[in-house]
């Protein structure tokens, strides 16, 4: 794109003109922003995995059914996401994203610690509800910031490096979480005034502190200049009074932008939703599955999962990067094409893992499933950032991730309900996992396949406009 170099002040959240030559942030500031985002992402997944390690303890000490336990781990965390997450994503479109990220990360840390003080099932539900509200703007703000910090040719690399937050959380979560669960197993209850703190609850109380430090680090990030939207892109309506502003914050304009290109967005959204149900359901119930099916304890599971997930995740990053770059030399739709192939690999390995007769055989195949999942996540996320309108990228991403968050949070509950209603026998948990995997994963792969052609056509259109 020809034109003058844009020198808008990023600290006041400037916007680069649509016809201007883009002045990208320095590599140092871009990678520092990525580093802090990786730390925050690590803490998010570390909390989720460690909470899963506590599943059997929570069920025993609070007297929960599998359905209640699944609800606590999943739907409880997304009850107010739509009413909070979408408006917060709008803040990421109009205010410096580093401040949105700092505030959300600090709030998450406080709420995780408060969850360790829960005295009843209802209070636990409340803590997970507000935890999701505090963290709901993290991904939209992070993705939007990275898309303006890295040129398009380097964006997929940035999203690949972002996966180290997921890898760290899901690797160290089982390892450290399992060690902490076993270390606190012999602790008696602590009486703090009217509060009775069980031994394992101290894990949650302590886990909130690192988030406060990461929140301060976000304040050191340099806010990148935003690129103005393409001339023919859907625009956010300005003016119109109070209720029109409310509608904008609730995502009306972003929804219209998505609905304007249903063949591009709907299959991607649907595939993400279906795979998220299975992925999060399996992630939560994997520890109970190993306990009930093979008789392992949390310490054994944590050590084995940590090593398995680490190898699988690093292999997935390597595989995904090489595969996408190889496809990109041949196809405009490389992102979605790669995600489709990886979804097929995840489907086969997940179903096979559940059917394995030995614990290690199951873990190895779960690892291969995770490898394909990581390999496919990078191009899938990059695909949405590539086609989303610039001035509403945060909310478009929030709608996309709502499918991941909402349906992913339903995963633990879906498996729990299948287990309670269809299976009944707690020792036969593997059957519930098999049913959900066999139904959801093939459908997700099919929808991803359907997105290849329309995504390619949209990329070609944007390239013709010089975007």
């Amino acid at each position: 794109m020809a034109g003058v170099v844009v020198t808008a002040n990023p600290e006041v959240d400037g916007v680069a003109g649509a016809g201007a030559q883009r002045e990208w942030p320095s590599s140092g500031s871009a990678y520092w922003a990525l580093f802090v985002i990786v730390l925050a992402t690590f803490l998010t997944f570390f909390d989720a995995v460690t909470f899963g390690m506590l599943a059997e303890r929570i069920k025993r000490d609070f007297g929960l059914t599998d359905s209640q336990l699944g609800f606590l781990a999943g739907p409880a965390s997304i009850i107010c996401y739509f009413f909070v997450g979408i408006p917060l994503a709008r803040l990421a479109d109009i205010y410096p994203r580093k401040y949105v990220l700092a505030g959300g990360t600090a709030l998450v840390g406080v709420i995780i610690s408060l969850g360790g003080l829960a005295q009843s099932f209802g209070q636990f539900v409340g803590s997970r509800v507000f935890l999701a509200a505090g963290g709901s703007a993290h991904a939209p703000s992070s993705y939007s910031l990275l898309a303006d910090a890295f040129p398009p040719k380097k964006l997929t690399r940035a999203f690949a490096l972002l996966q180290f937050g997921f890898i760290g959380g899901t690797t160290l979560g089982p390892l450290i979480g399992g060690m902490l669960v076993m270390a606190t197993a012999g602790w008696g209850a602590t009486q703090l005034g009217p509060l009775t703190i069980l031994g394992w609850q101290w894990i949650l109380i302590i886990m909130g502190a690192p988030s406060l430090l990461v929140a301060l680090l976000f304040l050191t990030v340099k806010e990148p200049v935003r690129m103005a939207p393409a001339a023919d892109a859907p625009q956010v309506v300005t003016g119109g009074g109070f209720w029109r502003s409310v509608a904008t914050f609730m995502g009306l304009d972003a929804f219209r932008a998505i609905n304007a290109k249903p063949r591009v967005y709907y299959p991607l959204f649907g595939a993400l939703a279906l795979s998220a149900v299975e992925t999060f359901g399996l992630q939560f119930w994997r520890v109970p599955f190993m306990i009930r099916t093979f008789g392992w304890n949390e310490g054994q599971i944590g050590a084995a999962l940590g090593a398995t997930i680490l190898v699988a995740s690093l292999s997935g990053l390597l595989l995904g990067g090489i595969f996408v770059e190889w496809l990109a030399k041949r196809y405009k739709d490389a992102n979605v094409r790669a995600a489709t192939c990886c979804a097929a690999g995840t489907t086969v390995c997940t179903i096979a893992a559940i059917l394995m007769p030995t614990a290690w055989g199951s873990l190895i195949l779960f690892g291969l499933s995770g490898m394909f999942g990581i390999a496919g996540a990078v191009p899938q996320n990059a695909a949405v950032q590539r086609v989303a309108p610039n001035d509403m990228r945060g909310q478009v991403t929030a709608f996309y991730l709502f499918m991941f968050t909402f349906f992913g949070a339903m995963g633990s509950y879906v498996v729990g309900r299948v287990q309670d209603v269809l299976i009944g026998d707690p020792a036969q948990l593997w059957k519930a996992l098999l049913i959900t995997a066999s139904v959801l994963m093939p459908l997700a792969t099919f929808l991803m396949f359907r997105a290849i052609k329309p995504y390619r056509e949209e990329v070609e259109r944007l390239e013709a406009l010089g975007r």
Side-chain angles (χ1 to χ4, degrees):
M1 293 179 290
V4 298
V5 174
V6 176
T7 58
N9 182 3
E11 292 303 314
V12 295
D13 213 33
V15 178
Q21 181 180 338
R22 187 65 188 271
E23 182 180 288
W24 294 97
S26 67
S27 294
S29 63
Y31 279 103
W32 173 248
L34 176 61
F35 174 74
V36 179
I37 290 172
V38 166
L39 288 180
T41 304
F42 163 79
L43 293 177
T44 297
F45 284 98
F46 184 86
D47 166 70
V49 174
T50 302
F51 192 79
M53 298 296 294
L54 294 170
E56 292 294 287
R57 311 282 170 164
I58 295 172
K59 178 180 179 179
R60 179 196 65 197
D61 291 334
F62 284 89
L64 307 182
T65 65
D66 280 340
S67 294
Q68 288 176 310
L69 185 61
F71 179 83
L72 179 62
S77 67
I78 46 83
I79 287 175
C80 65
Y81 180 92
F82 183 81
F83 297 100
V84 176
I86 304 299
L88 285 180
R90 180 58 186 160
L91 296 181
D93 284 329
I94 59 178
Y95 293 115
R97 288 152 289 192
K98 68 176 189 178
Y99 296 135
V100 179
L101 287 164
T105 302
L107 183 60
V108 163
V110 172
I111 296 172
I112 289 175
S113 294
L114 290 177
L117 304 178
Q119 301 295 292
S120 66
F121 174 67
Q123 291 177 6
F124 245 133
V125 170
S127 71
R128 302 313 285 184
V129 167
F130 288 105
L131 178 63
S136 59
H138 172 75
S141 300
S142 298
Y143 290 8
S144 176
L145 189 150
L146 291 178
D148 283 326
F150 289 89
K153 291 183 178 180
K154 294 184 179 180
L155 184 59
T156 301
R157 182 186 306 171
F159 276 105
L161 294 174
L162 178 60
Q163 294 301 312
F164 278 107
F166 170 80
I167 292 172
T170 54
T171 299
L172 296 179
L175 180 62
I176 298 177
M179 293 171 59
L180 291 174
V181 171
M182 299 308 295
T184 58
W187 292 12
T190 302
Q191 200 69 34
L192 294 178
L195 302 178
T196 300
I197 310 300
L198 302 174
W200 54 264
Q201 287 186 284
W202 285 105
I203 298 174
L204 297 177
I205 293 173
I206 296 171
M207 272 172 42
S211 293
L212 301 178
L213 174 60
V214 175
L216 294 176
L217 291 180
F218 269 120
L219 299 181
T220 68
V221 169
K222 183 177 181 181
E223 180 75 15
V225 178
R226 299 179 192 269
M227 175 64 76
D232 64 344
Q235 303 292 316
V236 174
V237 176
T238 57
F242 173 76
W243 290 111
R244 188 60 183 81
S245 298
V246 171
T248 297
F249 267 86
M250 292 306 296
L252 177 62
D253 299 301
F255 177 77
R256 286 176 172 173
I258 293 168
N259 197 50
K261 297 186 181 297
R263 293 176 62 247
V264 177
Y265 289 107
Y266 287 179
L268 291 175
F269 280 40
L272 184 66
L274 293 173
S275 61
V277 174
E278 173 58 25
T279 299
F280 278 86
L282 181 62
Q283 178 179 295
F284 179 78
W285 287 104
R286 184 167 47 197
V287 173
F289 165 73
M290 298 296 294
I291 292 173
R292 300 180 194 182
T293 304
F294 301 111
W296 285 22
N297 63 40
E298 291 92 343
Q300 292 173 298
I301 297 169
L305 273 180
T308 303
I309 293 173
L310 177 61
V311 173
S313 299
L314 294 177
S315 300
L317 277 183
L318 180 63
L319 170 66
I322 294 174
F323 189 43
V324 172
E325 289 183 7
W326 179 77
L327 287 176
K329 296 176 181 177
R330 295 161 174 80
Y331 305 102
K332 298 289 187 181
D333 53 32
N335 283 330
V336 178
R337 190 177 292 261
T340 302
C341 295
C342 292
T346 300
T347 300
V348 173
C349 292
T350 299
I351 294 174
I354 297 168
L355 295 172
M356 280 291 104
T358 65
W360 275 108
S362 182
L363 282 174
I364 290 171
L365 280 165
F366 278 140
L368 289 174
S369 173
M371 179 188 74
F372 284 114
I374 287 285
V378 172
Q380 193 171 350
N381 290 334
V384 174
Q385 299 307 304
R386 179 68 181 90
V387 298
N390 295 77
D391 66 339
M392 56 185 80
R393 185 188 288 132
Q395 283 193 313
V396 170
T397 302
F399 273 112
Y400 179 66
L401 294 178
F402 174 76
M403 308 302 290
F404 182 72
T405 304
F406 178 85
F407 287 96
M410 293 297 292
S412 59
Y413 180 68
V414 168
V415 175
R417 288 300 294 167
V418 171
Q419 171 63 24
D420 283 343
V421 175
L422 297 182
I423 308 303
D425 182 3
Q428 301 294 310
L429 176 60
W430 69 271
K431 293 181 179 178
L433 294 174
L434 182 63
I435 290 171
T436 54
S438 300
V439 172
L440 299 175
M441 292 305 297
L443 287 175
T445 303
F446 173 73
L447 287 177
M448 188 66 69
F449 173 77
R450 288 291 301 271
I452 293 176
K453 181 179 178 181
Y455 175 78
R456 179 177 67 247
E457 293 171 347
E458 178 65 8
V459 170
E460 290 172 343
R461 188 189 70 83
L462 290 172
E463 288 184 347
L465 295 174
R467 308 296 292 182

